Amino acid sequence: MGARQAPRQTGARTWQPPEPDISPNEVHRKLPDTESARFAELEVQADAAAAELDPELENAVGFTHFDSASSQDNLITVLMTRDDLHKLPSQTLVRVKSQEDNRSYLGVVVRGPFSEPDAVAANSNIAVGVVVQGKKLSYTFDYHGRVEIEILGEESDGKLIPPGHRPRPKSPVFLLDDEESEHVLGMTGELCFGLVVGYKEMEARIDALDKSVLPRHTGIIGTTGAGKSTTVATLIHRAQASGIATIVFDVEGEYTHVDQATDEPTMLAALARRRQQPEGVKDLHIHHLTGRDTRNRRHKHRQRFALSFSSLSPYAIAEILGMTDAQQERFHKAYEVTKLLLEDLKIFPKTPEEQQQALELDELSTGYPRMTLQHLLDVVSTYIYVLGSEGRSESKAKAKGSSRQAPLSGESTEEVAAEAAPPPRGPQLYSEFKDHVHRVLGRVYEQSSRNEVSWKALNGRLMSLRRLKIFDVGTAPGVDYDSMLTPGRVSVIDLSDTDSPQLNNLVIADILRGLQERQEERYQRAQEQNRPVDPVLIIIEEAHEFLSASRISQMPVLFEQVARIAKRGRKRWLGLVFVTQLPQHLPNEVLGLLNNFIIHKMTDSTVISRMQKSVGGIDESLWNRVPRLAPGQAIASFSSFKRPLMITVDPAPVKRLLVD
């Protein structure tokens, strides 16, 4: 190149040529006239071609990519420009119009969005070098976006049908507006759980009065601190507002103050962000066992209750107490002898109606009417007496004589008492049987047994029940089921002052049975009056303590009771909610009862893998998010949803007590 020319003088000024607006490292050359004309011609052709394009394509956010050997059924890759990348966050609903074969599909973003460089591969040396040298280079490649969508179905005559084809390559992809997205996903109803992740304002809603939803039973699952209790508190508040009778088995007393508004700062801030107000439930009743305390002593609607021994299935009692085979054999023998004595002494049955009731009794679900724990203990004590040294010293003749004095049907107790000889020293009895020692001894001799040790072990287990002082307590009423089933009422059964999972299980099993029977009666009345029955929601906290795999294997009768309640409850508006932080302890039989799930954070890959096999319909991309869910986030899968969704659960407006 020649020497640079000196600046030209023009009067008093020095003229300088304009500096080119280019980098000193770039080389620019003027385009020849022939090439410039060619580019102008191409521009005209491009404008003409654009005029022929479907104007609807202006609204497209991406286009389907070609398939590859690694493509999967029902998953489609979509490419979009850098400017449209932000429009397709995870879980966004889209419509794919396959123009080549005139088909329309609905899909949802399940992977991505990812950023990929134009022209070169993301893992190429030049792309890697540009990124690594970010401190030195301002230049970067232009890039585009990529997402994978799961096809929900093909649109046909206003319906969504299973897809038999795939969208063709370069099919335009369009966003669904919020209203259409809510309709497609099934977000209808007044009961709101929170916000759907991926949308600004879409709320995760269910219809509380849809029989296919809450009565189908729900599992709330997650590790400690993941947000289960907040979800339960929010559910209690929303269910009560929807007029549902809500019953909570509260083993820690967390929900005994839900009639008060929350005062927790973090929850108040979260409520403000959702433009919601702190608010307690309108109608709270607290039920607690007699002789046990509640964490809300000052509550005005506080009701103590005792259990009725006659309402408990003898098979469930044997299972819950963990009796050995030998102890169970003796327990059922004593139970049968007690039934005979109740009939002998005309305690039950007394009337023809009661006789029919006794014939129709199902002891797998309930106990023998009017039988008390003390009745049974008296019979067991008699067996121990008869098998002991003092009892063996009684003459066989005397025992036979006592046996002959057993009443025949129709024979009165007074007639038997008149014939009876003076009672022997005999066992010490405490129930109504104490005035009929001969009769008790006679029945025991008729149903003879051996092994005094097993009888003493059985007596010890039954005495442990009596020491609880919760059965047949004369000064305490039974469970008030009608109160619990009042529409719009929240009934918290506070078990926080019990120190035994066995006791909790006895209470839960008995009250569940009673609720099911009472709801059955209400359902029958509603059917006769041609009106709907009032819905009921039952929440069982720490469900793994009640229905763990180890317990189920040892307590098949108890599980059968729960399964019967779950199955019959679906038609009778009796919905169950199992809450647990240890889903690995729940057997497949229990998980099989559930149709709805709210899954919070879980970190154990083994537990997640097992849940994947038990919970259908949740895609791999959502399961991959479970270990990374933030507190309050959850995967919600309801029978009314078109697909499972990731949601942010609403903050609880009610007060919840923290538990260590």
Side-chain angles (χ1 to χ4, degrees), residues 237-544:
H237 178 268
R238 303 293 196 265
Q240 190 273 330
S242 297
I244 298 174
T246 306
I247 300 158
V248 187
F249 289 99
D250 188 359
V251 297
E252 300 288 354
E254 285 185 83
Y255 310 105
T256 53
H257 290 70
V258 292
D259 58 328
Q260 302 175 34
T262 181
D263 56 1
E264 205 277 315
T266 304
M267 206 63 68
L268 291 173
L271 286 167
R273 288 193 296 271
R274 279 284 280 137
R275 300 187 292 276
Q276 296 176 355
Q277 297 295 322
E279 178 188 38
V281 300
K282 299 294 190 297
D283 188 8
L284 172 66
H285 284 236
I286 297 176
H287 303 256
H288 64 96
L289 277 167
T290 182
R292 304 299 190 276
D293 214 341
T294 173
R295 293 187 71 180
N296 193 351
R297 300 178 182 178
R298 298 181 179 179
H299 189 66
K300 60 181 179 180
H301 298 304
R302 187 163 53 91
Q303 303 176 30
R304 64 189 182 97
F305 66 90
L307 298 183
S308 174
F309 185 78
S310 64
S311 67
L312 289 170
S313 162
Y315 297 93
I317 293 173
E319 290 176 352
I320 293 174
L321 292 181
M323 294 181 187
T324 64
D325 291 342
Q327 291 165 6
Q328 286 194 45
E329 179 185 351
R330 284 149 183 80
F331 172 71
H332 289 299
K333 183 184 288 291
Y335 202 90
E336 289 301 314
V337 169
T338 306
K339 287 165 55 178
L340 292 172
L341 287 167
L342 291 175
E343 184 176 357
D344 290 345
L345 303 178
K346 299 200 181 306
I347 296 174
F348 183 88
K350 291 181 178 180
T351 65
E353 292 77 13
E354 289 183 347
Q355 290 175 354
Q356 186 63 31
Q357 180 185 352
L359 291 174
E360 297 174 353
L361 195 66
D362 179 12
E363 289 186 351
L364 288 175
S365 59
T366 188
Y368 196 77
R370 307 219 179 92
M371 183 187 295
T372 67
L373 177 57
Q374 190 57 59
H375 286 143
L376 190 63
L377 277 167
D378 281 354
V379 172
V380 172
S381 298
T382 303
Y383 269 104
I384 294 174
Y385 170 80
V386 168
L387 294 172
S389 57
E390 188 176 0
R392 288 196 300 267
S393 67
E394 296 282 347
S395 67
K396 292 184 179 180
K398 191 173 183 179
K400 288 181 180 179
S402 298
S403 177
R404 282 195 300 269
Q405 290 173 0
L408 302 174
S409 59
E411 192 176 12
S412 69
T413 10
E414 290 78 14
E415 292 171 337
V416 172
E419 296 175 359
R425 292 188 302 275
Q428 186 69 43
L429 307 182
Y430 297 92
S431 69
E432 297 102 313
F433 295 169
K434 64 184 178 182
D435 297 326
H436 306 277
V437 178
H438 276 99
R439 189 56 40 82
V440 177
L441 281 168
R443 286 300 188 185
V444 166
Y445 278 119
E446 287 176 359
Q447 304 285 336
S448 62
S449 180
R450 298 181 179 179
N451 200 326
E452 181 184 3
V453 174
S454 290
W455 281 102
K456 288 183 175 179
L458 172 61
N459 187 69
R461 292 190 180 275
L462 294 178
M463 287 297 292
S464 68
L465 278 186
R466 192 176 75 169
R467 283 193 292 272
L468 295 174
K469 298 180 180 179
I470 61 171
F471 290 103
D472 310 314
V473 179
T475 58
V479 180
D480 190 348
Y481 296 112
D482 289 326
S483 170
M484 292 182 180
L485 295 173
T486 301
R489 175 168 295 172
V490 176
S491 300
V492 173
I493 302 166
D494 186 1
L495 301 174
S496 60
D497 196 34
T498 65
D499 53 2
S500 166
Q502 288 181 333
L503 176 54
N504 290 346
N505 292 345
L506 279 169
V507 173
I508 294 172
D510 187 47
I511 294 180
L512 277 180
R513 179 206 52 78
L515 288 170
Q516 190 262 334
E517 289 183 354
R518 194 59 53 89
Q519 183 70 357
E520 185 83 36
E521 296 172 3
R522 292 157 62 93
Y523 174 76
Q524 295 298 333
R525 287 199 300 270
Q527 290 289 95
E528 294 169 0
Q529 299 170 9
N530 195 27
R531 62 174 177 80
V533 66
D534 296 319
V536 180
L537 191 67
I538 301 174
I539 301 172
I540 304 175
E541 275 278 359
E542 304 293 342
H544 56 274

